[in-house]
Amino acid sequence: MKQTILYLLAILLILQACNKKNVASESIRKVISFNLGWKFMLGDTPRASIESFDDSAWPFLNLPHDWSIEADFSIDNPTTPGGGALPGGIGWYRKTFTPPAADKGKITYIDFDGVYWNSTVWINGQLLGQRPNGYISFRYNLTPYLKYGQPNTIVVRVDNSQQPNSRWYTGSGIYRNVRLVTVNPLHIAHWGTYVTTENISARKADVNLRITLENNSANLRQAQLVSIIKDNDGQIKARATTSVTVPKDEKIETTQAMMLNQPQLWSDTQPYLYTIITQVIDDGRIIDEYNTPLGVRSFAFDHTKGFLLNGEPVIIKGVCQHHDLGCLGTAVNIRAMERQLEILKQMGCNAIRTAHNPPAPELLDLCDQMGFIVQNEAFDMWHKRKSPQDYSHFFSQWHERDLTDLILRDRNHPSVFMWSIGNEILEQWTDMNVDTLDLQQANILFNFASKMNKDAQSDDLHVNSLLTIKLANLVKSLDPTRPVTSGNNEARPVNHLFKSGAMEILGFNYNHNLWSELPQIYPGQKYIITESTSSLMTRGYYEMPSDHTFTRPERWDIPYENPGNQCSAYDNSCVPWGTTHEHSWQLIKKCDFLSGLYIWTGFDYLGEPTPYWWPSRSSYFGIIDLAGFPKDIYYMYQSEWTDTPVLHLFPHWNWKPGQTIDIWAYYNQADEVELFLNNKSLGKSSKNGDDLKVWWRVPYQVGTLKAISRKGGKEILVREIKTAGTPVSLRLTADRQIISADGTDLSFITVEVLDTDGYPVPVANNMINFSVEGNGFIVGTDNGNPTDHLSLKKPGRKLFNGKALVVVQSNGKRGSVEVKATAEGLKMASVTIKCK
C-alpha cells in the first residue's frame, strides 16, 4: 500500500514539474554556462597550471574564444595561407569559481564542446586529462578535487603551435561552449539516452528509448524511471515507467517503449519536434531530469529511386560547410550559425555536410529545428597524413574514443541521416609512401572485421579495407539506424573503402564524368554525391567571355597566378577536378538513382584559397561569400530549388565606354525573358534543353538595363540595373533591428555607398570606419574579399565591390546600441539596434 501511495505521489510530482517551466532543471540537474569570466594569456607559461599561480595581470574574456582571428593575416604565420594565414600558438585559460556548499555530496562535471586543439585541463593543480582532437566534445569529473564553499581554479592549456595541422582554418582556443553540470549521485549518464522510432504511420509510431543510469553513491540504489513525450505545445502525448536497480559505482542500461498516436512527422520542409523528458524518481523525489529531442521520420536510400523521406522521394540539395563563421572566426555563436542556415534555406538548400569534422552541437540543434538533412563527418584523415602536423599523429590512439563520443553525442538528432567515417582518406589507395600497419595490427583488424563480415578472407582484404570495416562496425554498434558512408575521390573499384563492403552508401567526391555510369560500375548499390562542383567565384568580379570555362589551376599540383587573385562570378571558372554549378545540377536532375549532392561549398571559408596562394587567405568556392553576401549563382539554385519567383539579372552596369558585356539572367516560373537597354528591346530569350539561364552580349552604354520575365505573354517579374553615379552617402541595413540582450545575440549590418539618386554603387571601395554607442560592441567586420589582410576584428573595413559588413553584439544589458559609419567625403549613416 505504501509503495502504491509513493508511486501515485511521484506521478503527481512529475505532472507538476512538467507544467512548471524550468523547475526541474533548476532544482534537480543544474546545467549552467561556464563561459563568463575567464582569464587568458597567449604564450606558454608552464607554471600556470599551479593553483596558486598569480594571474592578476592576465586580461579577462568570455568564451567561446578564438585567439587566432584577432590577428592580421600574414604570410609569415606557420599555418600558411592554406590554414588561413593566421597565427596558432599556445594559450592558457584560468577561471576561479566557488561551488556552493549545498552541492557537496553531488557530482559535478565540466563539459567542453570543443577546444582546438591539444587541450590539457587541471582543477586545483590536479591533472584531469588531455584531448588532442580539436572538434570532439568531452567531459571531466571535478568532484574528487572540489573545495565546496571555497574558491577553486580550473586551468586549460591549448597547444596549437605545431603547424600546419589542417588544410583549412581551424581557429585556436576554447572556441565552443563550456558548461558546469551538477547532478545527484544517481543520475542519467553523459549522452545517456538513445531514442529510435519504428513502425511509423499516420496512425502511430513506436518510440524506443534506451537509458543509461550511473550510480556514483556508496550503496545500491533503486528508483523509478518515468519518460514523457511532449509535443511542441507542451502537451503530454505518451508516457512510460520503469523500475530500476543500479549497483554502487556502476552503470546500467534499461529500455522503455512508448506508442505515439497520430505522430506529426519530421521532414526538411516541416521539421516537427517532440521532446522526451526522462526523470529519475527516488523515494517519491525527482532526483534527475534529462531531455532528449525526438523527430519522427522514416527514410531509406534506394539504388534506383535515390533518397526517400517519409516514403516520398526527396532530392538531397546540400552544401558542405566548414566551421568558421567569417569575421567571428571559429568562436561558436548560435545567431551566426542560424543566419548562415537561414540564407541557405532561402536558397532552397535542405542538407548540410559537416566538412570534415564533428560540428558544434548547436549547429545540429538548429538543423533539427530548421529541417536540414545532415551528413555528420568524423575524420579528414586516418593513419595517412595530409598536413605535416595533423590528426594522423593521434589517430591510432584516439580514433575509437573520438568516433564513439561523436556517435553517442549526436545520435538523437533527427537531422542526422548519415555518418561519414572519412573524407578523401588516403587509405583509399594501397601505397601513399607513408607508414603502414604491422602484421600484428593487421591481424587485430582482420579478426575484428571478420566478426561482422563472415565472408571476408584475409587474402582478399587489404589492411585499409579492414580498418574501414572496423570503423563502420563501431558506428553500427552504437547506432544501427543510420547508414555509414565516406567521401571518396577515388571512384574506381580499386578503392579499398569500397572493397571493404562496409559502405552502406557509396559516397563520391567529384568524378562528374562517372555519375551516369555508377549503376553499371556498382550495380545494386546506393549512391550519394558527397562533394561536388568546386566552382570558383568572387562576388562582383566578372571575367569574359562568359561562355568560356576557365579551368584553374591547370592541374592540382601546378601553381596558378593571376593579377588581383580573383575568380569570375559568371559560373565559368572551376578547378580541374570539378565543374560548374550548372553542369553539376544538370547531371543530378538526370540521375534519379543519385540521392542528391553536397556542393563544395555553401559559404566561403578561411584558408584553402584555391586556385591561388598568398596574398589570398580564404576560399573562392562558396555560393555565398565570407561576409554572408550571396554570389550570383545563389539565384540559379533559388530558381531551381524553391517556389520563390526569381528573376536575377547580372552583372552590374558600371563599365567603361567601348566594352561589350555579357548579361546573364536566372529565372523561373516564366517562358521567356526580354532584355531592354534604355527602353530599347535587345530581344527575348528562353532556356533551351537543359539550360538554366539566358544571356545576351551587350555593348555598354550608360543607362538602365531592364529585364521582364513572362509566362504565356503575362508579365511575371521586372528587374532593373542602373549605371550608378558619384558616391555621396552611406547606407546601413541591419538584418535585425531588435536583438536579445543576452550578451551573445548579434545584428549583421550591411554597408553600401549610394549615389545622388540613392542607388547603390556596385564598384565602390571606400574605407568605412565604424563606431558604436550604447549596449553593444563591434565583434567583427568583413567585405568578402579573399585578399584583404586587415584583421577581421578591426572597426574599419574597405567596401569590396560595393559592400561591407559590420557585426554588433549585445553586451548583456537592455537598451539600445547606435552604430555609426563614416567615410571621407561621404554623408555618414547610422542605425539603432534595440536590445531587449
Side-chain angles (χ1 to χ4, degrees):
M1 182 66 179
K2 181 180 179 182
Q3 289 181 334
T4 302
I5 293 172
L6 289 174
Y7 175 74
L8 292 173
L9 179 59
I11 294 299
L12 179 61
L13 289 170
I14 293 164
L15 293 173
Q16 290 176 339
C18 287
N19 289 309
K20 291 182 180 180
K21 187 176 180 181
N22 294 330
V23 169
S25 61
E26 291 174 0
S27 61
I28 301 165
R29 169 181 287 252
K30 285 198 303 184
V31 181
I32 62 171
S33 170
F34 210 55
N35 287 341
L36 303 183
W38 289 77
K39 288 195 163 190
F40 175 73
M41 179 57 66
L42 184 60
D44 202 8
T45 310
R47 291 181 56 82
S49 64
I50 300 171
E51 184 181 9
S52 60
F53 178 83
D54 182 8
D55 60 14
S56 58
W58 291 16
F60 280 100
L61 57 74
N62 297 329
L63 306 179
H65 175 237
D66 170 12
W67 77 66
S68 297
I69 199 63
E70 299 166 3
D72 289 330
F73 298 89
S74 172
I75 187 61
D76 296 326
N77 286 319
T79 56
T80 76
L86 289 167
I90 296 173
W92 287 81
Y93 297 83
R94 289 173 57 93
K95 176 169 178 166
T96 298
F97 66 105
T98 301
D103 285 349
K104 192 170 184 179
K106 296 187 176 184
I107 309 298
T108 298
Y109 301 100
I110 188 168
D111 289 353
F112 293 89
D113 284 343
V115 180
Y116 201 92
W117 73 340
N118 280 320
S119 66
T120 309
V121 183
W122 295 264
I123 178 71
N124 298 330
Q126 299 292 321
L127 177 66
L128 292 173
Q130 297 175 301
R131 205 66 187 256
N133 191 324
Y135 300 108
I136 211 71
S137 299
F138 56 94
R139 159 179 282 190
Y140 293 119
N141 186 353
L142 304 182
T143 313
Y145 315 105
L146 286 179
K147 297 176 289 185
Y148 293 92
Q150 303 177 51
N152 294 253
T153 302
I154 190 95
V155 180
V156 182
R157 180 181 187 267
V158 183
D159 185 352
N160 194 21
S161 62
Q162 299 301 305
Q163 295 289 345
N165 61 42
S166 176
R167 300 182 297 116
W168 59 87
Y169 177 71
T170 63
S172 303
I174 309 178
Y175 72 103
R176 292 180 180 171
N177 288 304
V178 182
R179 290 171 300 280
L180 213 60
V181 180
T182 302
V183 293
N184 286 298
L186 179 62
H187 59 275
I188 296 170
H190 192 33
W191 304 321
T193 61
Y194 175 42
V195 63
T196 58
T197 55
E198 58 185 353
N199 303 320
I200 298 170
S201 68
R203 187 175 63 85
K204 71 175 186 68
D206 294 330
V207 180
N208 302 305
L209 186 65
R210 283 166 41 184
I211 306 160
T212 301
L213 277 169
E214 184 171 355
N215 180 11
N216 295 124
S217 66
N219 302 305
L220 176 146
R221 299 287 295 273
Q222 294 181 325
Q224 296 280 322
L225 272 181
V226 177
S227 293
I228 299 167
I229 299 177
K230 298 175 75 172
D231 64 17
N232 60 17
D233 293 322
Q235 299 299 309
I236 297 174
K237 311 303 288 186
R239 178 184 289 111
T241 303
T242 308
S243 297
V244 292
T245 300
V246 190
K248 66 176 183 178
D249 295 324
E250 288 191 19
K251 292 181 181 180
I252 65 131
E253 184 179 85
T254 188
T255 60
Q256 292 182 326
M258 291 171 276
M259 182 184 293
L260 184 61
N261 292 316
Q262 297 177 320
Q264 296 198 52
L265 301 186
W266 187 100
S267 71
D268 60 319
T269 56
Q270 293 182 306
Y272 192 90
L273 291 173
Y274 296 89
T275 302
I276 303 177
I277 303 170
T278 301
Q279 296 175 326
V280 183
I281 303 168
D282 181 23
D283 197 24
R285 295 179 303 112
I286 303 171
I287 61 172
D288 194 21
E289 180 175 286
Y290 193 94
N291 289 357
T292 305
L294 171 63
V296 180
R297 79 282 190 275
S298 64
F299 69 94
F301 291 86
D302 186 87
H303 71 281
T304 59
K305 299 178 182 178
F307 178 64
L308 303 172
L309 179 57
N310 300 322
E312 298 295 328
V314 172
I315 299 176
I316 292 174
K317 297 172 286 193
V319 298
C320 303
Q321 281 286 96
H322 275 314
H323 68 299
D324 78 65
L325 296 169
C327 62
L328 305 184
T330 59
V332 162
N333 182 282
I334 293 176
R335 173 55 197 160
M337 292 188 291
E338 181 183 50
R339 172 181 178 253
Q340 287 190 340
L341 294 177
E342 286 174 349
I343 294 169
L344 289 169
K345 202 70 173 178
Q346 290 164 10
M347 184 183 80
C349 174
N350 68 358
I352 300 291
R353 176 183 178 222
T354 67
H356 302 293
N357 46 261
E362 293 86 356
L363 178 69
L364 296 181
D365 292 339
L366 289 167
C367 288
D368 291 346
Q369 297 160 19
M370 299 174 71
F372 284 89
I373 298 164
V374 174
Q375 181 180 120
N376 201 336
E377 194 151 67
F379 304 117
D380 188 47
M381 74 291 297
W382 295 346
H383 290 290
K384 300 181 178 183
R385 70 175 177 88
K386 295 181 178 178
S387 302
Q389 303 296 331
D390 65 20
Y391 180 76
S392 63
H393 295 278
F394 306 109
F395 182 82
S396 291
Q397 180 181 353
W398 283 98
H399 70 272
E400 290 185 28
R401 175 73 182 275
D402 288 344
L403 184 56
T404 296
D405 286 353
L406 166 65
I407 306 303
L408 291 178
R409 190 195 72 171
D410 294 348
R411 62 185 179 174
N412 289 324
H413 286 282
S415 59
V416 175
F417 282 75
M418 291 166 274
W419 303 109
S420 171
I421 58 173
N423 169 66
E424 297 182 357
I425 297 299
L426 298 184
E427 281 84 349
Q428 294 171 93
W429 298 277
T430 297
D431 182 15
M432 292 297 293
N433 297 319
V434 295
D435 293 337
T436 57
L437 300 179
D438 61 31
L439 182 60
Q440 181 181 5
Q441 291 173 309
N443 285 334
I444 291 171
L445 282 175
F446 175 75
N447 291 333
F448 182 94
S450 62
K451 293 177 183 178
M452 296 293 287
N453 190 345
K454 303 299 183 183
D455 297 329
Q457 299 295 320
S458 58
D459 292 339
D460 297 334
L461 288 176
H462 186 271
V463 66
N464 294 344
S465 295
L466 298 175
L467 178 55
T468 305
I469 295 171
K470 175 190 174 182
L471 295 173
N473 287 347
L474 177 56
V475 173
K476 300 301 285 188
S477 71
L478 299 168
D479 179 23
T481 69
R482 294 176 177 88
V484 178
T485 189
S486 56
N488 299 272
N489 52 337
E490 175 54 87
R492 299 170 300 169
V494 297
N495 186 330
H496 288 300
L497 277 67
F498 290 166
K499 291 169 73 173
S500 73
M503 297 292 95
E504 296 169 277
I505 307 173
L506 300 187
F508 296 91
N509 289 10
Y510 309 104
N511 289 281
H512 303 80
N513 58 317
L514 294 179
W515 291 2
S516 63
E517 302 172 24
L518 292 177
Q520 289 73 49
I521 302 172
Y522 301 101
Q525 297 291 330
K526 303 162 187 176
Y527 322 95
I528 180 80
I529 305 305
T530 38
E531 188 171 318
S532 75
T533 311
S534 278
S535 183
L536 303 164
M537 296 180 175
T538 300
R539 175 187 55 80
Y541 175 83
Y542 304 94
E543 193 168 353
M544 290 166 268
S546 66
D547 54 346
H548 174 77
T549 299
F550 301 93
T551 302
R552 295 165 175 166
E554 180 183 342
R555 200 175 67 203
W556 72 270
D557 57 345
I558 298 177
Y560 174 74
E561 295 182 1
N562 190 37
N565 279 41
Q566 304 298 348
C567 297
S568 175
Y570 275 122
D571 192 25
N572 64 338
S573 177
C574 65
V575 296
W577 57 89
T579 188
T580 63
H581 288 277
E582 184 168 353
H583 187 224
S584 287
W585 182 237
Q586 288 168 339
L587 290 172
I588 291 291
K589 291 171 72 173
K590 294 177 181 178
C591 299
D592 292 339
F593 54 85
L594 292 176
S595 301
L597 84 171
Y598 290 93
I599 299 159
W600 192 263
T601 54
F603 281 72
D604 282 340
Y605 54 93
L606 292 165
E608 201 172 33
T610 306
Y612 303 109
W613 201 240
W614 188 259
S616 298
R617 45 70 167 169
S618 56
S619 83
Y620 299 81
F621 292 119
I623 297 169
I624 302 147
D625 76 11
L626 195 69
F629 301 133
K631 303 175 188 178
D632 296 295
I633 195 63
Y634 179 95
Y635 300 96
M636 185 204 82
Y637 287 111
Q638 191 176 64
S639 72
E640 286 285 302
W641 287 2
T642 76
D643 295 327
T644 302
V646 173
L647 175 57
H648 179 69
L649 188 67
F650 67 101
H652 60 80
W653 201 236
N654 275 64
W655 300 94
K656 295 178 181 178
Q659 286 185 287
T660 297
I661 308 302
D662 291 349
I663 303 297
W664 286 26
Y666 294 123
Y667 71 96
N668 63 7
Q669 302 179 21
D671 304 321
E672 64 181 23
V673 177
E674 186 172 6
L675 184 67
F676 297 82
L677 175 57
N678 297 330
N679 295 318
K680 179 181 179 181
S681 176
L682 302 181
K684 301 174 182 178
S685 187
S686 299
K687 292 183 278 191
N688 295 314
D690 298 330
D691 290 345
L692 301 179
K693 65 177 182 299
V694 291
W695 69 287
W696 298 259
R697 189 157 280 161
V698 181
Y700 175 68
Q701 295 178 21
V702 171
T704 301
L705 279 174
K706 180 170 70 173
I708 301 175
S709 62
R710 300 186 183 93
K711 186 174 181 66
K714 181 181 178 182
E715 183 178 294
I716 303 298
L717 291 172
V718 178
R719 296 288 183 263
E720 289 187 346
I721 301 175
K722 299 179 180 180
T723 304
T726 303
V728 297
S729 62
L730 295 171
R731 180 169 69 186
L732 301 183
T733 307
D735 70 331
R736 296 184 308 153
Q737 289 192 257
I738 300 175
I739 63 175
S740 173
D742 60 2
T744 64
D745 204 3
L746 305 173
S747 181
F748 290 82
I749 302 168
T750 300
V751 189
E752 297 169 291
V753 167
L754 306 181
D755 67 9
T756 53
D757 295 325
Y759 192 77
V761 181
V763 294
N765 62 357
N766 307 67
M767 182 68 190
I768 314 296
N769 295 302
F770 304 103
S771 62
V772 295
E773 294 180 4
N775 301 116
F777 57 94
I778 294 171
V779 73
T781 58
D782 199 357
N783 57 18
N785 183 359
T787 65
D788 188 337
H789 298 158
L790 185 68
S791 167
L792 296 174
K793 292 295 184 180
K794 295 288 176 65
R797 185 71 45 190
K798 270 193 167 187
L799 293 175
F800 178 64
N801 293 333
K803 290 183 183 292
L805 179 78
V806 58
V807 186
V808 174
Q809 183 169 331
S810 153
N811 68 2
K813 297 178 182 179
R814 281 183 278 184
S816 63
V817 53
E818 184 181 17
V819 184
K820 297 180 180 179
T822 60
E824 185 177 352
L826 300 179
K827 183 180 179 181
M828 64 86 68
S830 67
V831 64
T832 298
I833 309 299
K834 295 180 180 179
C835 306
K836 292 189 174 182

